[in-house]
Amino acid sequence: MKIFTAIAQQDFDTNLYVGYVPGFPGAHSQGETLDELQENLREVIEMLLEDENLAFKTEFVGTQQIVIQ
């Protein structure tokens, strides 16, 4: 079992959720709901993992909150 962290955002112009996996080339998708986005990302990741030449260029470390006053 492998676990990937995805970033999800809502596009207000299309009202779709868009998501990507940082550092994973090609691992991005969209969906009308968060559940649909998760399923679409799962399918994309499974497909990409079939590529024997897959190379990760970065590693997800975390998120930070930036405070501006």
Side-chain angles (χ1 to χ4, degrees):
M1 175 170 59
K2 295 180 180 179
I3 298 174
F4 296 92
T5 300
I7 305 298
Q9 301 172 313
Q10 187 173 22
D11 183 324
F12 293 126
D13 291 333
T14 63
N15 206 32
L16 293 173
Y17 293 97
V18 295
Y20 66 96
V21 179
F24 196 151
H28 52 85
S29 192
Q30 62 187 28
E32 292 184 4
T33 65
L34 287 172
D35 288 338
E36 182 180 359
L37 172 61
Q38 184 178 37
E39 181 59 31
N40 292 346
L41 284 170
R42 180 180 295 112
E43 290 175 6
V44 168
I45 291 169
E46 288 173 346
M47 180 186 68
L48 291 170
L49 288 174
E50 292 175 2
D51 182 358
E52 295 177 8
N53 298 319
L54 178 66
F56 291 90
K57 298 179 181 180
T58 63
E59 178 180 347
F60 180 75
V61 176
T63 61
Q64 295 183 339
Q65 292 184 334
I66 310 300
V67 177
I68 306 293
Q69 294 184 2

